[in-house]
Amino acid sequence: MKAFIQNSLVAAALALNTTNLFAQTYNILHNFGGIYRDGSAPLTDLVLNSNTLYGTTASGGTNYNGTIFKINTDGSGYGNLASFTNGSPEGGGMLLIGSILYGTTYNGGSADGGSVFKINIDGSGFKTLHNFSTTLPSFPGTNSDGNRPQGDLITDGNTLYGTAEYGGTNGSGTIFKINVDESGFTVIKTFSATYLGTNNVSGNPLASGTNTDGARPIGGLVLDGSTLYGTTYHGGTSNGVVFAMQTDGSGYTVLKYFPSINGVGTNNDGAAPVAGLTLNGDTLYGVTVGGGAGARGNVFKLKTNGESFASLHDFNYTNDGGLPHNTLFLDGGTLYGTTAAGGISNKGTIFMILTNGSNFVVLKNFDMVCGSQCDSKFVLSSNVLFGTAANGGTNGGGVVFGLTVLPQIVSDGNFGIQSNAFGFDVTGISNQVAVVEACTNLFSPDWLPLQTNTTTGGTTYFSDAHWTNYPGRYYRLRSP
């Protein structure tokens, strides 16, 4: 009986590995850089409206400052809505309200401090809503309203909320709001100055230091009722913070201080969160670009009250990637994200991980052919994740891509024999059909359907109580 059990487990494991290997299809919808006026280097998130994707590029276009483009989800209909004349978008994705897109430029505007803009989805009505002011010529540079907005805008329907990485009265960045009718621009949070100090070895001033509330908010905000959640890249006790505050500017609270790193760059919790957060119920999910056990960042979770912080995955760079810059995308109980580097070609990866920290899987390794430097958050249509990569592709100017993700068998604690039955968890993007099938001979397979599942984004358990009736049984998932 012992040998019989081992053989059955090997057979099931073989089916599992085969399923994971072929569980996704990567398609390039558009290659940038062939015609410079089309744009180049898409750095920001896409916006999905029906079957049309909208996005921006950081360079190219008729004025060489980037473009606003659209493309259908099947790759057809690519076109430019506008070319930026002054300033380029280098981080903040656009936001769609009705038929109007809102976004930011990292630089440019009347004072070269960046701007907030709007444009209709047909390309008409481009207008600047706010120009961020110049900073005083002192390090790190101060002003009244902030400077260099990078994070995605969010809205409650009438008001836009965003972050500026620099500026403010202390030069450490700001959180701002502005009404969609372009009235009421207000700074609702100014981050405090950081203690610069000196390097104990070189004696040179440190580029960044510590404070009580964080500094340099790069990622976008999350809105839940009247509460905003976000991150800072620097400041706090060492390496940035997770924070919460009210939309009227009150109640600012640090939920998490990221600790210092040791001489080889590692710690337990991660360091320097660049991306924004993802909210599910009372739990926030995010990534860091440094620290962790592998010194290449991690995936973490944290309750909205600041309790129960946990590192879900530490990146090791070689096998799974490292330096994740983009906000995680949540579908049911599964998180999807990218890394900016590492993986097989050292150009980054696309990964998935369950919200409980299990079943980390690399879905795609980037390279210079398919694209690299994916900093954008995914958008989902059916079972296809759409995103952008700022470099690579046929012309070297980056790509728009779609990754089709099919259901998978999960390698977790439920895989194996339980209560005299053999079973495993099945996961997949929500509302996909996943049929578990079995056969007894891979050389002449006669696949028998055993269970049909509709995936939820989390896990569904499959159990085969009749597995002992066969000398060996192989399992696979089929998505009709």
Side-chain angles (χ1 to χ4, degrees):
M1 179 60 70
K2 181 177 179 181
F4 175 80
I5 293 174
Q6 289 178 337
N7 287 340
S8 296
L9 287 174
V10 170
L14 177 61
L16 168 67
N17 293 332
T18 303
T19 300
N20 282 343
L21 182 63
F22 299 102
Q24 59 280 327
T25 301
Y26 183 91
N27 291 309
I28 293 178
L29 278 66
H30 184 75
N31 285 280
F32 291 97
I35 303 175
Y36 204 68
R37 65 174 178 267
D38 281 350
S40 182
L43 288 168
T44 63
D45 302 345
L46 296 170
V47 175
L48 177 64
N49 181 34
S50 185
N51 294 319
T52 303
L53 299 163
Y54 298 89
T56 63
T57 64
S59 61
T62 56
N63 302 301
Y64 303 98
N65 286 315
T67 64
I68 302 172
F69 66 85
K70 68 175 183 178
I71 187 171
N72 295 327
T73 54
D74 63 2
S76 66
Y78 179 87
N80 280 340
L81 301 181
S83 289
F84 290 98
T85 59
N86 184 12
S88 61
E90 297 185 12
M94 295 187 294
L95 169 72
L96 181 64
I97 304 176
S99 60
I100 301 175
L101 293 162
Y102 296 86
T104 61
T105 63
Y106 182 68
N107 50 24
S110 60
D112 198 33
S115 67
V116 181
F117 67 85
K118 70 176 183 179
I119 186 173
N120 296 321
I121 58 174
D122 63 2
S124 65
F126 182 93
K127 186 175 185 180
T128 299
L129 305 183
H130 180 77
N131 289 289
F132 289 91
S133 60
T134 190
T135 55
L136 297 175
S138 60
F139 183 82
T142 61
N143 65 7
S144 61
D145 56 347
N147 195 269
R148 301 291 190 260
Q150 276 206 72
D152 296 345
L153 296 172
I154 59 168
T155 185
D156 59 8
N158 298 310
T159 304
L160 304 171
Y161 300 88
T163 60
E165 181 181 1
Y166 296 108
T169 55
N170 299 306
S172 296
T174 65
I175 300 174
F176 64 86
K177 67 178 181 180
I178 183 173
N179 296 326
V180 294
D181 64 3
E182 66 193 280
S183 66
F185 180 91
T186 307
V187 173
I188 59 175
K189 168 65 180 176
T190 298
F191 291 92
S192 64
T194 57
Y195 173 74
L196 299 182
T198 57
N199 186 293
N200 292 332
V201 177
S202 68
N204 295 323
L206 295 174
S208 63
T210 62
N211 62 7
T212 59
D213 56 345
R216 293 184 61 188
I218 296 177
L221 301 166
V222 174
L223 178 62
D224 182 30
S226 63
T227 304
L228 296 164
Y229 298 95
T231 62
T232 69
Y233 176 64
H234 281 167
T237 57
S238 188
N239 282 301
V241 306
V242 176
F243 65 82
M245 67 179 294
Q246 298 302 299
T247 54
D248 63 2
S250 65
Y252 183 91
T253 304
V254 173
L255 303 178
K256 169 67 179 177
Y257 289 101
F258 287 93
S260 60
I261 56 178
N262 60 25
V264 294
T266 65
N267 65 10
N268 292 327
D269 296 350
V274 171
L277 300 166
T278 299
L279 177 65
N280 183 29
D282 65 349
T283 304
L284 299 161
Y285 299 90
V287 294
T288 66
V289 296
R296 295 295 188 270
N298 70 345
V299 180
F300 67 85
K301 69 176 180 179
L302 174 71
K303 294 292 186 183
T304 53
N305 62 4
E307 298 177 354
S308 304
F309 178 90
S311 179
L312 301 180
H313 181 79
D314 293 306
F315 291 97
N316 64 34
Y317 200 79
T318 302
N319 298 321
D320 55 358
L323 313 180
H325 284 78
N326 71 333
T327 302
L328 297 168
F329 176 80
L330 176 68
D331 176 55
T334 305
L335 298 162
Y336 297 87
T338 67
T339 64
I344 292 175
S345 301
N346 195 25
K347 299 299 181 182
T349 62
I350 300 175
F351 65 86
M352 62 173 280
I353 184 173
L354 298 183
T355 53
N356 63 9
S358 66
N359 198 50
F360 181 94
V361 177
V362 172
L363 300 175
K364 175 68 178 178
N365 282 276
F366 286 109
D367 56 40
M368 289 307 294
V369 176
C370 69
S372 65
Q373 191 186 344
C374 176
D375 292 340
S376 65
K377 179 182 178 181
F378 291 123
V379 294
L380 176 67
S381 178
S382 184
N383 64 335
V384 182
L385 297 168
F386 293 96
T388 61
N391 297 317
T394 302
N395 306 308
V399 301
V400 179
F401 66 83
L403 181 74
T404 302
V405 181
L406 298 178
Q408 300 185 34
I409 297 173
V410 179
S411 179
D412 61 8
N414 288 331
F415 184 85
I417 303 168
Q418 298 187 42
S419 302
N420 297 319
F422 181 84
F424 46 78
D425 284 328
V426 175
T427 190
I429 287 176
S430 297
N431 300 316
Q432 304 302 305
V433 175
V435 182
V436 180
E437 297 180 332
C439 75
T440 58
N441 186 346
L442 286 179
F443 296 100
S444 180
D446 183 15
W447 292 103
L448 175 70
L450 302 180
Q451 179 177 296
T452 299
N453 310 278
T454 299
T455 54
T456 63
T459 58
T460 301
Y461 186 68
F462 162 78
S463 178
D464 183 5
H466 304 292
W467 70 287
T468 55
N469 296 335
Y470 304 90
R473 211 170 198 195
Y474 302 83
Y475 301 87
R476 74 173 185 181
L477 282 182
R478 182 175 59 83
S479 188

